[in-house]
mmCIF file of all heavy atoms in Angstrom:
data_model
loop_
_atom_site.group_PDB
_atom_site.id
_atom_site.type_symbol
_atom_site.label_atom_id
_atom_site.label_comp_id
_atom_site.label_asym_id
_atom_site.label_seq_id
_atom_site.Cartn_x
_atom_site.Cartn_y
_atom_site.Cartn_z
ATOM 1 N N MET A 1 167.018 69.871 141.650
ATOM 2 C CA MET A 1 168.034 69.776 140.629
ATOM 3 C C MET A 1 167.620 68.885 139.475
ATOM 4 O O MET A 1 168.340 68.799 138.505
ATOM 5 C CB MET A 1 169.332 69.251 141.237
ATOM 6 C CG MET A 1 170.101 70.298 142.024
ATOM 7 S SD MET A 1 170.311 71.801 141.116
ATOM 8 C CE MET A 1 171.996 71.675 140.656
ATOM 9 N N THR A 2 166.498 68.209 139.572
ATOM 10 C CA THR A 2 166.088 67.359 138.456
ATOM 11 C C THR A 2 165.658 68.180 137.255
ATOM 12 O O THR A 2 165.677 67.679 136.143
ATOM 13 C CB THR A 2 164.935 66.430 138.883
ATOM 14 O OG1 THR A 2 163.819 67.230 139.313
ATOM 15 C CG2 THR A 2 165.355 65.491 139.988
ATOM 16 N N LEU A 3 165.298 69.437 137.492
ATOM 17 C CA LEU A 3 164.921 70.305 136.385
ATOM 18 C C LEU A 3 166.113 70.574 135.464
ATOM 19 O O LEU A 3 165.967 70.629 134.248
ATOM 20 C CB LEU A 3 164.380 71.633 136.925
ATOM 21 C CG LEU A 3 164.014 72.692 135.897
ATOM 22 C CD1 LEU A 3 162.797 72.246 135.102
ATOM 23 C CD2 LEU A 3 163.738 74.010 136.575
ATOM 24 N N LEU A 4 167.313 70.715 136.045
ATOM 25 C CA LEU A 4 168.507 71.024 135.267
ATOM 26 C C LEU A 4 169.360 69.802 134.957
ATOM 27 O O LEU A 4 170.440 69.950 134.391
ATOM 28 C CB LEU A 4 169.349 72.043 136.025
ATOM 29 C CG LEU A 4 168.725 73.420 136.217
ATOM 30 C CD1 LEU A 4 169.649 74.296 137.048
ATOM 31 C CD2 LEU A 4 168.418 74.066 134.908
ATOM 32 N N GLN A 5 168.888 68.631 135.296
ATOM 33 C CA GLN A 5 169.681 67.428 135.084
ATOM 34 C C GLN A 5 169.935 67.215 133.590
ATOM 35 O O GLN A 5 169.017 67.142 132.785
ATOM 36 C CB GLN A 5 168.970 66.214 135.667
ATOM 37 C CG GLN A 5 169.810 64.977 135.677
ATOM 38 C CD GLN A 5 169.133 63.851 136.441
ATOM 39 O OE1 GLN A 5 168.006 63.984 136.883
ATOM 40 N NE2 GLN A 5 169.822 62.758 136.587
ATOM 41 N N GLY A 6 171.207 67.149 133.226
ATOM 42 C CA GLY A 6 171.599 66.953 131.835
ATOM 43 C C GLY A 6 171.657 68.231 131.015
ATOM 44 O O GLY A 6 171.935 68.192 129.827
ATOM 45 N N LYS A 7 171.372 69.375 131.625
ATOM 46 C CA LYS A 7 171.344 70.625 130.889
ATOM 47 C C LYS A 7 172.340 71.662 131.409
ATOM 48 O O LYS A 7 172.522 72.703 130.796
ATOM 49 C CB LYS A 7 169.944 71.224 130.967
ATOM 50 C CG LYS A 7 168.849 70.266 130.599
ATOM 51 C CD LYS A 7 168.040 70.733 129.459
ATOM 52 C CE LYS A 7 166.906 69.835 129.070
ATOM 53 N NZ LYS A 7 167.065 68.432 129.142
ATOM 54 N N LYS A 8 172.993 71.383 132.525
ATOM 55 C CA LYS A 8 173.894 72.362 133.139
ATOM 56 C C LYS A 8 175.076 72.693 132.241
ATOM 57 O O LYS A 8 175.490 73.855 132.150
ATOM 58 C CB LYS A 8 174.368 71.869 134.502
ATOM 59 C CG LYS A 8 173.253 71.810 135.537
ATOM 60 C CD LYS A 8 173.761 71.376 136.881
ATOM 61 C CE LYS A 8 174.162 69.956 136.922
ATOM 62 N NZ LYS A 8 173.170 68.961 137.216
ATOM 63 N N THR A 9 175.628 71.726 131.549
ATOM 64 C CA THR A 9 176.765 71.976 130.665
ATOM 65 C C THR A 9 176.355 72.844 129.484
ATOM 66 O O THR A 9 177.108 73.721 129.061
ATOM 67 C CB THR A 9 177.349 70.644 130.161
ATOM 68 O OG1 THR A 9 177.633 69.817 131.280
ATOM 69 C CG2 THR A 9 178.620 70.866 129.378
ATOM 70 N N TYR A 10 175.158 72.614 128.960
ATOM 71 C CA TYR A 10 174.667 73.445 127.869
ATOM 72 C C TYR A 10 174.481 74.888 128.323
ATOM 73 O O TYR A 10 174.755 75.823 127.570
ATOM 74 C CB TYR A 10 173.338 72.907 127.335
ATOM 75 C CG TYR A 10 173.439 71.543 126.700
ATOM 76 C CD1 TYR A 10 172.693 70.478 127.186
ATOM 77 C CD2 TYR A 10 174.281 71.323 125.615
ATOM 78 C CE1 TYR A 10 172.779 69.234 126.608
ATOM 79 C CE2 TYR A 10 174.369 70.085 125.030
ATOM 80 C CZ TYR A 10 173.610 69.036 125.525
ATOM 81 O OH TYR A 10 173.703 67.804 124.951
ATOM 82 N N ILE A 11 174.017 75.073 129.545
ATOM 83 C CA ILE A 11 173.828 76.419 130.086
ATOM 84 C C ILE A 11 175.169 77.128 130.219
ATOM 85 O O ILE A 11 175.301 78.301 129.859
ATOM 86 C CB ILE A 11 173.076 76.359 131.425
ATOM 87 C CG1 ILE A 11 171.638 75.885 131.187
ATOM 88 C CG2 ILE A 11 173.088 77.704 132.119
ATOM 89 C CD1 ILE A 11 170.878 75.555 132.445
ATOM 90 N N VAL A 12 176.189 76.426 130.711
ATOM 91 C CA VAL A 12 177.517 77.021 130.850
ATOM 92 C C VAL A 12 178.080 77.384 129.468
ATOM 93 O O VAL A 12 178.649 78.468 129.289
ATOM 94 C CB VAL A 12 178.466 76.069 131.606
ATOM 95 C CG1 VAL A 12 179.890 76.545 131.544
ATOM 96 C CG2 VAL A 12 178.011 75.918 133.042
ATOM 97 N N ALA A 13 177.918 76.510 128.486
ATOM 98 C CA ALA A 13 178.404 76.796 127.132
ATOM 99 C C ALA A 13 177.679 78.009 126.548
ATOM 100 O O ALA A 13 178.304 78.867 125.910
ATOM 101 C CB ALA A 13 178.198 75.579 126.238
ATOM 102 N N LEU A 14 176.383 78.123 126.787
ATOM 103 C CA LEU A 14 175.620 79.267 126.305
ATOM 104 C C LEU A 14 176.062 80.555 126.982
ATOM 105 O O LEU A 14 176.176 81.598 126.325
ATOM 106 C CB LEU A 14 174.126 79.034 126.540
ATOM 107 C CG LEU A 14 173.195 80.138 126.087
ATOM 108 C CD1 LEU A 14 173.207 80.229 124.563
ATOM 109 C CD2 LEU A 14 171.801 79.899 126.604
ATOM 110 N N ILE A 15 176.346 80.492 128.275
ATOM 111 C CA ILE A 15 176.823 81.677 129.000
ATOM 112 C C ILE A 15 178.175 82.132 128.452
ATOM 113 O O ILE A 15 178.412 83.330 128.291
ATOM 114 C CB ILE A 15 176.889 81.396 130.512
ATOM 115 C CG1 ILE A 15 175.472 81.294 131.078
ATOM 116 C CG2 ILE A 15 177.674 82.462 131.245
ATOM 117 C CD1 ILE A 15 175.410 80.815 132.508
ATOM 118 N N ILE A 16 179.058 81.192 128.158
ATOM 119 C CA ILE A 16 180.372 81.542 127.605
ATOM 120 C C ILE A 16 180.219 82.288 126.284
ATOM 121 O O ILE A 16 180.810 83.344 126.070
ATOM 122 C CB ILE A 16 181.243 80.274 127.428
ATOM 123 C CG1 ILE A 16 181.643 79.708 128.783
ATOM 124 C CG2 ILE A 16 182.478 80.565 126.574
ATOM 125 C CD1 ILE A 16 182.304 78.349 128.697
ATOM 126 N N VAL A 17 179.408 81.758 125.395
ATOM 127 C CA VAL A 17 179.210 82.387 124.092
ATOM 128 C C VAL A 17 178.489 83.730 124.248
ATOM 129 O O VAL A 17 178.840 84.713 123.597
ATOM 130 C CB VAL A 17 178.442 81.442 123.145
ATOM 131 C CG1 VAL A 17 178.085 82.126 121.847
ATOM 132 C CG2 VAL A 17 179.265 80.190 122.871
ATOM 133 N N ALA A 18 177.509 83.801 125.134
ATOM 134 C CA ALA A 18 176.768 85.045 125.342
ATOM 135 C C ALA A 18 177.657 86.144 125.911
ATOM 136 O O ALA A 18 177.518 87.315 125.528
ATOM 137 C CB ALA A 18 175.579 84.794 126.271
ATOM 138 N N LEU A 19 178.572 85.800 126.799
ATOM 139 C CA LEU A 19 179.488 86.803 127.345
ATOM 140 C C LEU A 19 180.364 87.413 126.263
ATOM 141 O O LEU A 19 180.593 88.622 126.248
ATOM 142 C CB LEU A 19 180.360 86.190 128.436
ATOM 143 C CG LEU A 19 179.713 85.961 129.790
ATOM 144 C CD1 LEU A 19 180.657 85.208 130.712
ATOM 145 C CD2 LEU A 19 179.300 87.270 130.414
ATOM 146 N N VAL A 20 180.842 86.587 125.364
ATOM 147 C CA VAL A 20 181.677 87.098 124.275
ATOM 148 C C VAL A 20 180.854 87.991 123.351
ATOM 149 O O VAL A 20 181.315 89.050 122.925
ATOM 150 C CB VAL A 20 182.329 85.941 123.488
ATOM 151 C CG1 VAL A 20 183.040 86.455 122.258
ATOM 152 C CG2 VAL A 20 183.287 85.176 124.374
ATOM 153 N N ILE A 21 179.629 87.596 123.061
ATOM 154 C CA ILE A 21 178.770 88.404 122.193
ATOM 155 C C ILE A 21 178.490 89.760 122.832
ATOM 156 O O ILE A 21 178.572 90.797 122.173
ATOM 157 C CB ILE A 21 177.461 87.655 121.878
ATOM 158 C CG1 ILE A 21 177.750 86.485 120.942
ATOM 159 C CG2 ILE A 21 176.429 88.586 121.255
ATOM 160 C CD1 ILE A 21 176.586 85.572 120.702
ATOM 161 N N VAL A 22 178.184 89.765 124.122
ATOM 162 C CA VAL A 22 177.887 91.024 124.804
ATOM 163 C C VAL A 22 179.122 91.915 124.843
ATOM 164 O O VAL A 22 179.030 93.119 124.594
ATOM 165 C CB VAL A 22 177.350 90.750 126.231
ATOM 166 C CG1 VAL A 22 177.325 92.013 127.058
ATOM 167 C CG2 VAL A 22 175.968 90.140 126.158
ATOM 168 N N GLU A 23 180.278 91.333 125.127
ATOM 169 C CA GLU A 23 181.512 92.133 125.225
ATOM 170 C C GLU A 23 181.961 92.664 123.866
ATOM 171 O O GLU A 23 182.290 93.833 123.743
ATOM 172 C CB GLU A 23 182.644 91.293 125.820
ATOM 173 C CG GLU A 23 182.577 91.155 127.305
ATOM 174 C CD GLU A 23 183.371 92.217 128.026
ATOM 175 O OE1 GLU A 23 184.337 92.747 127.458
ATOM 176 O OE2 GLU A 23 183.005 92.509 129.167
ATOM 177 N N LYS A 24 182.005 91.820 122.861
ATOM 178 C CA LYS A 24 182.607 92.200 121.585
ATOM 179 C C LYS A 24 181.615 92.817 120.608
ATOM 180 O O LYS A 24 181.929 93.779 119.931
ATOM 181 C CB LYS A 24 183.286 90.988 120.929
ATOM 182 C CG LYS A 24 184.493 90.522 121.694
ATOM 183 C CD LYS A 24 185.527 91.625 121.731
ATOM 184 C CE LYS A 24 186.733 91.218 122.523
ATOM 185 N NZ LYS A 24 187.731 92.267 122.608
ATOM 186 N N VAL A 25 180.430 92.269 120.489
ATOM 187 C CA VAL A 25 179.483 92.763 119.498
ATOM 188 C C VAL A 25 178.746 93.995 120.012
ATOM 189 O O VAL A 25 178.648 94.998 119.319
ATOM 190 C CB VAL A 25 178.480 91.652 119.098
ATOM 191 C CG1 VAL A 25 177.433 92.179 118.151
ATOM 192 C CG2 VAL A 25 179.223 90.480 118.475
ATOM 193 N N LEU A 26 178.240 93.924 121.228
ATOM 194 C CA LEU A 26 177.483 95.042 121.780
ATOM 195 C C LEU A 26 178.373 96.090 122.423
ATOM 196 O O LEU A 26 177.947 97.220 122.621
ATOM 197 C CB LEU A 26 176.458 94.534 122.796
ATOM 198 C CG LEU A 26 175.401 93.557 122.250
ATOM 199 C CD1 LEU A 26 174.497 93.084 123.356
ATOM 200 C CD2 LEU A 26 174.610 94.195 121.132
ATOM 201 N N GLY A 27 179.586 95.716 122.792
ATOM 202 C CA GLY A 27 180.529 96.665 123.372
ATOM 203 C C GLY A 27 180.250 97.027 124.820
ATOM 204 O O GLY A 27 180.687 98.056 125.297
ATOM 205 N N ILE A 28 179.523 96.189 125.522
ATOM 206 C CA ILE A 28 179.194 96.445 126.919
ATOM 207 C C ILE A 28 180.248 95.791 127.803
ATOM 208 O O ILE A 28 180.537 94.599 127.666
ATOM 209 C CB ILE A 28 177.794 95.886 127.255
ATOM 210 C CG1 ILE A 28 176.746 96.561 126.388
ATOM 211 C CG2 ILE A 28 177.484 96.075 128.723
ATOM 212 C CD1 ILE A 28 175.374 95.941 126.503
ATOM 213 N N GLU A 29 180.836 96.566 128.698
ATOM 214 C CA GLU A 29 181.838 96.041 129.630
ATOM 215 C C GLU A 29 181.141 95.291 130.764
ATOM 216 O O GLU A 29 180.247 95.829 131.410
ATOM 217 C CB GLU A 29 182.664 97.178 130.212
ATOM 218 C CG GLU A 29 183.574 97.849 129.212
ATOM 219 C CD GLU A 29 184.778 96.990 128.873
ATOM 220 O OE1 GLU A 29 185.267 96.252 129.741
ATOM 221 O OE2 GLU A 29 185.228 97.067 127.713
ATOM 222 N N ILE A 30 181.549 94.066 131.002
ATOM 223 C CA ILE A 30 181.004 93.264 132.092
ATOM 224 C C ILE A 30 182.064 93.190 133.177
ATOM 225 O O ILE A 30 183.172 92.704 132.923
ATOM 226 C CB ILE A 30 180.622 91.856 131.608
ATOM 227 C CG1 ILE A 30 179.589 91.952 130.487
ATOM 228 C CG2 ILE A 30 180.090 91.019 132.752
ATOM 229 C CD1 ILE A 30 179.288 90.643 129.832
ATOM 230 N N PRO A 31 181.752 93.659 134.391
ATOM 231 C CA PRO A 31 182.742 93.618 135.474
ATOM 232 C C PRO A 31 183.146 92.179 135.807
ATOM 233 O O PRO A 31 182.300 91.295 135.926
ATOM 234 C CB PRO A 31 182.019 94.262 136.656
ATOM 235 C CG PRO A 31 180.834 94.939 136.088
ATOM 236 C CD PRO A 31 180.509 94.284 134.799
ATOM 237 N N GLY A 32 184.441 91.945 135.915
ATOM 238 C CA GLY A 32 184.948 90.626 136.274
ATOM 239 C C GLY A 32 185.191 89.703 135.102
ATOM 240 O O GLY A 32 185.644 88.585 135.287
ATOM 241 N N VAL A 33 184.890 90.153 133.900
ATOM 242 C CA VAL A 33 185.082 89.326 132.709
ATOM 243 C C VAL A 33 186.103 90.010 131.812
ATOM 244 O O VAL A 33 185.923 91.148 131.405
ATOM 245 C CB VAL A 33 183.756 89.122 131.940
ATOM 246 C CG1 VAL A 33 183.994 88.330 130.670
ATOM 247 C CG2 VAL A 33 182.727 88.446 132.810
ATOM 248 N N GLU A 34 187.175 89.307 131.512
ATOM 249 C CA GLU A 34 188.231 89.838 130.648
ATOM 250 C C GLU A 34 188.327 88.945 129.415
ATOM 251 O O GLU A 34 188.872 87.844 129.470
ATOM 252 C CB GLU A 34 189.555 89.860 131.397
ATOM 253 C CG GLU A 34 190.684 90.504 130.647
ATOM 254 C CD GLU A 34 190.499 92.002 130.483
ATOM 255 O OE1 GLU A 34 189.964 92.642 131.397
ATOM 256 O OE2 GLU A 34 190.894 92.512 129.434
ATOM 257 N N ILE A 35 187.783 89.399 128.291
ATOM 258 C CA ILE A 35 187.755 88.599 127.071
ATOM 259 C C ILE A 35 189.092 88.692 126.337
ATOM 260 O O ILE A 35 189.688 87.697 125.979
ATOM 261 C CB ILE A 35 186.597 89.029 126.149
ATOM 262 C CG1 ILE A 35 185.253 88.855 126.856
ATOM 263 C CG2 ILE A 35 186.623 88.252 124.850
ATOM 264 C CD1 ILE A 35 184.890 87.447 127.200
ATOM 265 N N GLY A 36 189.589 89.880 126.094
ATOM 266 C CA GLY A 36 190.861 90.056 125.404
ATOM 267 C C GLY A 36 190.723 89.897 123.908
ATOM 268 O O GLY A 36 189.642 89.964 123.330
ATOM 269 N N ASP A 37 191.855 89.665 123.262
ATOM 270 C CA ASP A 37 191.882 89.568 121.801
ATOM 271 C C ASP A 37 191.568 88.166 121.282
ATOM 272 O O ASP A 37 191.316 87.990 120.095
ATOM 273 C CB ASP A 37 193.257 89.988 121.272
ATOM 274 C CG ASP A 37 193.514 91.464 121.483
ATOM 275 O OD1 ASP A 37 192.531 92.227 121.539
ATOM 276 O OD2 ASP A 37 194.682 91.847 121.587
ATOM 277 N N ASP A 38 191.605 87.176 122.141
ATOM 278 C CA ASP A 38 191.374 85.798 121.701
ATOM 279 C C ASP A 38 189.908 85.395 121.876
ATOM 280 O O ASP A 38 189.591 84.299 122.315
ATOM 281 C CB ASP A 38 192.295 84.839 122.438
ATOM 282 C CG ASP A 38 192.160 84.936 123.940
ATOM 283 O OD1 ASP A 38 191.520 85.892 124.414
ATOM 284 O OD2 ASP A 38 192.685 84.047 124.630
ATOM 285 N N TRP A 39 189.000 86.266 121.482
ATOM 286 C CA TRP A 39 187.577 86.025 121.668
ATOM 287 C C TRP A 39 187.076 84.856 120.824
ATOM 288 O O TRP A 39 186.199 84.120 121.242
ATOM 289 C CB TRP A 39 186.768 87.282 121.368
ATOM 290 C CG TRP A 39 186.921 87.782 119.971
ATOM 291 C CD1 TRP A 39 187.857 88.646 119.505
ATOM 292 C CD2 TRP A 39 186.124 87.418 118.850
ATOM 293 N NE1 TRP A 39 187.691 88.855 118.162
ATOM 294 C CE2 TRP A 39 186.634 88.115 117.733
ATOM 295 C CE3 TRP A 39 185.031 86.580 118.682
ATOM 296 C CZ2 TRP A 39 186.071 87.981 116.476
ATOM 297 C CZ3 TRP A 39 184.477 86.450 117.423
ATOM 298 C CH2 TRP A 39 184.999 87.151 116.331
ATOM 299 N N LEU A 40 187.646 84.666 119.650
ATOM 300 C CA LEU A 40 187.210 83.559 118.799
ATOM 301 C C LEU A 40 187.536 82.215 119.446
ATOM 302 O O LEU A 40 186.742 81.276 119.375
ATOM 303 C CB LEU A 40 187.857 83.658 117.418
ATOM 304 C CG LEU A 40 187.427 82.608 116.409
ATOM 305 C CD1 LEU A 40 185.929 82.680 116.156
ATOM 306 C CD2 LEU A 40 188.187 82.788 115.114
ATOM 307 N N LEU A 41 188.678 82.133 120.095
ATOM 308 C CA LEU A 41 189.051 80.913 120.798
ATOM 309 C C LEU A 41 188.071 80.618 121.936
ATOM 310 O O LEU A 41 187.699 79.465 122.155
ATOM 311 C CB LEU A 41 190.473 81.037 121.346
ATOM 312 C CG LEU A 41 191.032 79.827 122.081
ATOM 313 C CD1 LEU A 41 191.150 78.643 121.137
ATOM 314 C CD2 LEU A 41 192.366 80.157 122.678
ATOM 315 N N ILE A 42 187.622 81.648 122.623
ATOM 316 C CA ILE A 42 186.663 81.459 123.718
ATOM 317 C C ILE A 42 185.318 80.985 123.176
ATOM 318 O O ILE A 42 184.680 80.102 123.752
ATOM 319 C CB ILE A 42 186.527 82.764 124.519
ATOM 320 C CG1 ILE A 42 187.859 83.103 125.177
ATOM 321 C CG2 ILE A 42 185.443 82.640 125.575
ATOM 322 C CD1 ILE A 42 187.912 84.465 125.816
ATOM 323 N N VAL A 43 184.881 81.542 122.042
ATOM 324 C CA VAL A 43 183.626 81.099 121.422
ATOM 325 C C VAL A 43 183.738 79.640 120.999
ATOM 326 O O VAL A 43 182.826 78.832 121.227
ATOM 327 C CB VAL A 43 183.263 81.994 120.218
ATOM 328 C CG1 VAL A 43 182.138 81.386 119.403
ATOM 329 C CG2 VAL A 43 182.879 83.377 120.688
ATOM 330 N N LEU A 44 184.857 79.277 120.388
ATOM 331 C CA LEU A 44 185.044 77.892 119.956
ATOM 332 C C LEU A 44 185.100 76.934 121.151
ATOM 333 O O LEU A 44 184.620 75.802 121.058
ATOM 334 C CB LEU A 44 186.310 77.768 119.107
ATOM 335 C CG LEU A 44 186.245 78.433 117.741
ATOM 336 C CD1 LEU A 44 187.592 78.339 117.046
ATOM 337 C CD2 LEU A 44 185.155 77.833 116.895
ATOM 338 N N ASN A 45 185.667 77.378 122.263
ATOM 339 C CA ASN A 45 185.667 76.554 123.473
ATOM 340 C C ASN A 45 184.250 76.325 123.980
ATOM 341 O O ASN A 45 183.903 75.212 124.402
ATOM 342 C CB ASN A 45 186.509 77.203 124.569
ATOM 343 C CG ASN A 45 187.971 77.027 124.349
ATOM 344 O OD1 ASN A 45 188.415 76.053 123.756
ATOM 345 N ND2 ASN A 45 188.754 77.976 124.834
ATOM 346 N N GLY A 46 183.429 77.359 123.968
ATOM 347 C CA GLY A 46 182.038 77.212 124.402
ATOM 348 C C GLY A 46 181.257 76.271 123.495
ATOM 349 O O GLY A 46 180.512 75.412 123.963
ATOM 350 N N LEU A 47 181.446 76.423 122.191
ATOM 351 C CA LEU A 47 180.759 75.539 121.246
ATOM 352 C C LEU A 47 181.262 74.100 121.355
ATOM 353 O O LEU A 47 180.486 73.146 121.253
ATOM 354 C CB LEU A 47 180.935 76.054 119.823
ATOM 355 C CG LEU A 47 180.287 77.396 119.513
ATOM 356 C CD1 LEU A 47 180.649 77.840 118.105
ATOM 357 C CD2 LEU A 47 178.796 77.334 119.701
ATOM 358 N N GLY A 48 182.551 73.953 121.582
ATOM 359 C CA GLY A 48 183.114 72.611 121.755
ATOM 360 C C GLY A 48 182.602 71.936 123.012
ATOM 361 O O GLY A 48 182.352 70.731 123.022
ATOM 362 N N LEU A 49 182.434 72.707 124.064
ATOM 363 C CA LEU A 49 181.892 72.154 125.303
ATOM 364 C C LEU A 49 180.476 71.641 125.091
ATOM 365 O O LEU A 49 180.119 70.551 125.551
ATOM 366 C CB LEU A 49 181.912 73.230 126.395
ATOM 367 C CG LEU A 49 181.421 72.832 127.773
ATOM 368 C CD1 LEU A 49 182.348 71.781 128.376
ATOM 369 C CD2 LEU A 49 181.349 74.052 128.670
ATOM 370 N N GLY A 50 179.674 72.407 124.381
ATOM 371 C CA GLY A 50 178.301 71.973 124.096
ATOM 372 C C GLY A 50 178.253 70.737 123.216
ATOM 373 O O GLY A 50 177.463 69.823 123.455
ATOM 374 N N SER A 51 179.100 70.679 122.197
ATOM 375 C CA SER A 51 179.084 69.513 121.312
ATOM 376 C C SER A 51 179.676 68.282 121.989
ATOM 377 O O SER A 51 179.248 67.152 121.716
ATOM 378 C CB SER A 51 179.813 69.819 120.009
ATOM 379 O OG SER A 51 181.158 70.129 120.257
ATOM 380 N N LEU A 52 180.642 68.476 122.890
ATOM 381 C CA LEU A 52 181.177 67.350 123.648
ATOM 382 C C LEU A 52 180.092 66.747 124.530
ATOM 383 O O LEU A 52 179.944 65.526 124.601
ATOM 384 C CB LEU A 52 182.358 67.803 124.503
ATOM 385 C CG LEU A 52 182.961 66.760 125.431
ATOM 386 C CD1 LEU A 52 183.643 65.670 124.613
ATOM 387 C CD2 LEU A 52 183.953 67.423 126.358
ATOM 388 N N ARG A 53 179.307 67.597 125.175
ATOM 389 C CA ARG A 53 178.231 67.121 126.028
ATOM 390 C C ARG A 53 177.170 66.398 125.200
ATOM 391 O O ARG A 53 176.627 65.383 125.628
ATOM 392 C CB ARG A 53 177.611 68.294 126.786
ATOM 393 C CG ARG A 53 176.414 67.938 127.634
ATOM 394 C CD ARG A 53 176.822 66.978 128.746
ATOM 395 N NE ARG A 53 175.708 66.692 129.607
ATOM 396 C CZ ARG A 53 175.007 65.558 129.581
ATOM 397 N NH1 ARG A 53 175.314 64.611 128.722
ATOM 398 N NH2 ARG A 53 174.007 65.379 130.403
ATOM 399 N N ALA A 54 176.882 66.907 124.015
ATOM 400 C CA ALA A 54 175.894 66.263 123.155
ATOM 401 C C ALA A 54 176.388 64.876 122.711
ATOM 402 O O ALA A 54 175.615 63.926 122.643
ATOM 403 C CB ALA A 54 175.601 67.130 121.940
ATOM 404 N N GLY A 55 177.685 64.756 122.427
ATOM 405 C CA GLY A 55 178.245 63.473 122.038
ATOM 406 C C GLY A 55 178.222 62.464 123.170
ATOM 407 O O GLY A 55 177.946 61.275 122.954
ATOM 408 N N ILE A 56 178.470 62.914 124.372
ATOM 409 C CA ILE A 56 178.437 62.010 125.530
ATOM 410 C C ILE A 56 176.999 61.578 125.812
ATOM 411 O O ILE A 56 176.744 60.426 126.154
ATOM 412 C CB ILE A 56 179.068 62.693 126.768
ATOM 413 C CG1 ILE A 56 180.562 62.832 126.561
ATOM 414 C CG2 ILE A 56 178.763 61.929 128.037
ATOM 415 C CD1 ILE A 56 181.268 63.628 127.625
ATOM 416 N N ALA A 57 176.060 62.500 125.638
ATOM 417 C CA ALA A 57 174.652 62.181 125.909
ATOM 418 C C ALA A 57 174.133 61.137 124.929
ATOM 419 O O ALA A 57 173.296 60.309 125.294
ATOM 420 C CB ALA A 57 173.809 63.455 125.825
ATOM 421 N N LYS A 58 174.638 61.139 123.702
ATOM 422 C CA LYS A 58 174.205 60.165 122.706
ATOM 423 C C LYS A 58 174.908 58.827 122.856
ATOM 424 O O LYS A 58 174.526 57.839 122.248
ATOM 425 C CB LYS A 58 174.412 60.699 121.307
ATOM 426 C CG LYS A 58 173.483 61.829 120.973
ATOM 427 C CD LYS A 58 173.687 62.303 119.560
ATOM 428 C CE LYS A 58 172.744 63.450 119.259
ATOM 429 N NZ LYS A 58 172.930 63.960 117.913
ATOM 430 N N GLY A 59 175.993 58.791 123.619
ATOM 431 C CA GLY A 59 176.684 57.538 123.872
ATOM 432 C C GLY A 59 177.726 57.172 122.828
ATOM 433 O O GLY A 59 178.021 56.006 122.633
ATOM 434 N N PHE A 60 178.294 58.151 122.155
ATOM 435 C CA PHE A 60 179.317 57.839 121.153
ATOM 436 C C PHE A 60 180.618 57.550 121.802
ATOM 437 O O PHE A 60 181.250 58.039 122.517
ATOM 438 C CB PHE A 60 179.476 58.996 120.162
ATOM 439 C CG PHE A 60 178.308 59.115 119.247
ATOM 440 C CD1 PHE A 60 177.468 60.194 119.299
ATOM 441 C CD2 PHE A 60 178.045 58.116 118.329
ATOM 442 C CE1 PHE A 60 176.382 60.297 118.448
ATOM 443 C CE2 PHE A 60 176.982 58.212 117.483
ATOM 444 C CZ PHE A 60 176.132 59.311 117.536
#
């Protein structure tokens, strides 16, 4: 787990944004994932998660 230490939150944020891109932009249905009409809110949540982690890592 030392390979992913400090990077797991970034990976989750990237997966969130990538799922929305695949569902909405490419139009590919992913089983078990329901994006809905509030896709922009989900993208902003993923980006916020990544920036929150970056702020904590810097010690602000």
Side-chain angles (χ1 to χ4, degrees):
M1 283 310 255
T2 60
L3 177 68
L4 295 177
Q5 189 172 5
K7 309 239 182 323
K8 292 182 290 273
T9 307
Y10 295 121
I11 293 170
V12 170
L14 180 68
I15 289 171
I16 291 171
V17 173
L19 283 174
V20 172
I21 289 172
V22 167
E23 281 268 334
K24 292 298 178 181
V25 176
L26 299 177
I28 299 172
E29 291 286 327
I30 301 173
V33 177
E34 185 69 35
I35 300 296
D37 292 333
D38 56 348
W39 60 272
L40 183 60
L41 181 64
I42 296 171
V43 168
L44 291 175
N45 283 331
L47 295 175
L49 182 65
S51 62
L52 176 68
R53 176 64 177 103
I56 290 173
K58 291 182 180 179
F60 289 113

